[in-house]
Amino acid sequence: MLMKIKRGDVIRVHYIGKIRETGEIFDTTFEEVAKDAGIYKENGVYGPVPIAVGAGHVIQGLDEQLEGREVGKKYEIEVPPEKGFGKRDPKLIKTFTLGQFRRNGLIPFPGMPVEIETESGRKLKGRVLTVSGGRVRVDFNHPYAGKHLVYEVEIVEKIEDPIEKVKALIELRLPRLDPNKVVIEVGEKDVVVDFTQIKDEVDKGTLVLGELLLEGDLKFLGYEEVKFRPSVDELIKPKEAEEGEVAEEEVSGETGAEEAPEQKEAVEETTEEKTEEKAEAEESVEEAESEEGTEKAKEETEEKKPKKSTKGRKTRRTTRKKSTTKKKAKAAEEKGKSEPENPEDSE
């Protein structure tokens, strides 16, 4: 049973695109046809191209007419100008002076391709129509604007497996990468695409653009949450910022290791100081309490022991003086013993 294509399906197609009025081939997925038509590109990728129907991966008129077609069949599809390269717009034909070209070192001639940048920074590609009387007319319409297109299309296959669908879209957006080296995790409404293994095989800018386009494609398929590894933010982060972060981490680690002992010593010193202060405070409290107790005792026993409490209070303060007095008394005693007690006896 042949399968019909519907919007949102991921399929592979071969095609040849022609201009109906002239039969000119302007695009194809067949390498040999491209070479024969003189449109072969050395860096081009040929073979059945994967697309998501309705996602705008091919020209609008062709995209819309793929719906309802059957897998495995060939079709000839005509596309009108408004759904192809657009209608010709007379406003896109501009006139320049010959001097404007010569000042830029250019000698214009009919059919010559040109490119200009507008004030808004937009680049427009065009071709010279005529050169006459010091005037140069340039057409900035697409070369195939206003033309009817004819596509010979073969629907090669419809991809059903969710992971294979993601791989097909990677192939479309990043044709130089091997999708089989990409790690893909698919959930019901979320998908993770991991490029870590092959991120060095492609230019960062190309990978960033690929991820941005893939995100839109995957959301078109119905995935609500799309994650990439590495993420776009990680890819566009300046190299200097990455090096700065690494250096910061290293410095932070080293400083922490060096400062830890100092901090520990500081804490110990502070603790010791606090302990000493506490001890002094306690001693002061004890002295105060002791003096209070002594005064109280003095009042109670003033008549019985009038001097004892006073001596008790001064004991600590006069210990050194008493000690000195005792030494002097002892020295005097020894001196007295060594001298005769009676002067008459000595005579």
Side-chain angles (χ1 to χ4, degrees):
M1 182 181 175
L2 294 176
M3 293 181 287
K4 287 191 176 183
I5 303 301
K6 63 182 184 298
R7 181 181 172 83
D9 284 345
V10 178
I11 63 174
R12 289 182 186 275
V13 296
H14 254 315
Y15 62 80
I16 299 172
K18 300 178 181 180
I19 303 300
R20 191 183 69 178
E21 289 84 351
T22 62
E24 175 191 354
I25 295 174
F26 65 88
D27 192 15
T28 183
T29 57
F30 295 98
E31 186 173 354
E32 291 304 317
V33 173
K35 288 178 178 178
D36 292 342
I39 59 172
Y40 176 76
K41 296 177 183 177
E42 290 290 339
N43 296 324
V45 178
Y46 296 94
V49 61
I51 65 169
V53 179
H57 294 153
V58 291
I59 206 161
Q60 183 186 355
L62 174 59
D63 202 7
E64 290 175 352
Q65 293 190 61
L66 287 173
E67 293 183 55
R69 309 288 180 168
E70 294 180 341
V71 177
K73 286 192 174 183
K74 295 180 180 180
Y75 300 92
E76 184 173 281
I77 297 173
E78 288 195 17
V79 178
E82 59 272 20
K83 292 193 176 182
F85 295 103
K87 294 181 177 181
R88 287 184 63 77
D89 184 355
K91 293 179 182 178
L92 292 177
I93 298 176
K94 306 292 183 182
T95 302
F96 300 88
T97 65
L98 186 59
Q100 286 176 294
F101 278 82
R102 288 181 174 173
R103 280 195 293 273
N104 288 288
L106 300 172
I107 301 174
F109 57 86
M112 174 183 177
V114 297
E115 183 180 279
I116 66 165
E117 187 172 335
T118 64
E119 292 180 359
S120 62
R122 182 186 174 192
K123 291 183 178 180
L124 296 176
K125 291 183 178 181
R127 60 189 177 86
V128 175
L129 291 178
T130 60
V131 181
S132 177
R135 301 286 178 180
V136 181
R137 293 176 70 237
V138 180
D139 186 0
F140 290 101
N141 283 286
H142 190 281
Y144 302 126
K147 305 292 185 183
H148 289 78
L149 313 176
V150 177
Y151 281 92
E152 295 175 4
V153 181
E154 178 186 358
I155 302 174
V156 178
E157 70 169 317
K158 177 182 175 181
I159 301 171
E160 300 284 3
D161 183 77
I163 289 181
E164 292 303 317
K165 286 182 182 181
V166 178
K167 284 184 179 179
L169 294 175
I170 292 172
E171 184 185 332
L172 172 69
R173 296 305 190 181
L174 296 162
R176 301 295 175 190
L177 291 183
D178 182 356
N180 293 314
K181 292 182 180 179
V182 180
V183 179
I184 301 166
E185 299 173 18
V186 175
E188 187 176 344
K189 290 293 180 181
D190 63 288
V191 60
V192 178
V193 182
D194 191 342
F195 290 109
T196 304
Q197 292 182 24
I198 56 174
K199 65 184 177 74
D200 296 327
E201 296 179 15
V202 64
D203 175 71
K204 278 189 178 182
T206 303
L207 188 54
V208 167
L209 180 59
E211 287 189 2
L212 290 172
L213 294 171
L214 272 169
E215 183 175 9
D217 295 339
L218 293 169
K219 286 188 175 179
F220 173 78
L221 294 186
Y223 294 107
E224 295 174 0
E225 187 177 356
V226 180
K227 289 184 180 179
F228 294 102
R229 296 179 186 148
S231 67
V232 170
D233 289 340
E234 290 170 337
L235 289 170
I236 63 177
K237 185 183 293 182
K239 189 176 180 181
E240 294 79 6
E242 291 178 2
E243 290 174 353
E245 285 180 7
V246 171
E248 228 175 84
E249 287 175 6
E250 288 175 356
V251 170
S252 176
E254 289 172 5
T255 305
E258 290 173 2
E259 289 182 356
E262 294 176 4
Q263 291 174 351
K264 186 178 179 182
E265 288 174 10
V267 170
E268 288 175 354
E269 286 175 7
T270 305
T271 306
E272 287 174 6
E273 288 173 5
K274 287 183 178 180
T275 305
E276 289 173 4
E277 289 174 3
K278 185 178 178 183
E280 288 175 5
E282 287 177 355
E283 188 177 343
S284 299
V285 171
E286 286 175 3
E287 285 182 8
E289 289 176 353
S290 175
E291 289 180 3
E292 274 184 16
T294 305
E295 290 290 339
K296 190 175 180 181
K298 181 183 175 184
E299 290 175 4
E300 292 176 355
T301 60
E302 189 174 356
E303 292 180 0
K304 298 179 182 178
K305 299 178 181 178
K307 293 182 181 180
K308 189 174 182 181
S309 59
T310 303
K311 287 180 182 177
R313 281 203 310 274
K314 292 181 179 178
T315 301
R316 190 178 340 197
R317 297 173 191 166
T318 58
T319 301
R320 191 173 292 173
K321 289 182 180 180
K322 285 182 179 181
S323 203
T324 306
T325 305
K326 284 180 180 179
K327 285 181 182 178
K328 285 182 179 180
K330 188 176 180 181
E333 189 180 342
E334 289 176 356
K335 186 178 179 183
K337 285 182 180 179
S338 60
E339 292 178 358
E341 291 182 5
N342 193 344
E344 292 179 0
D345 294 340
S346 61
E347 289 178 1

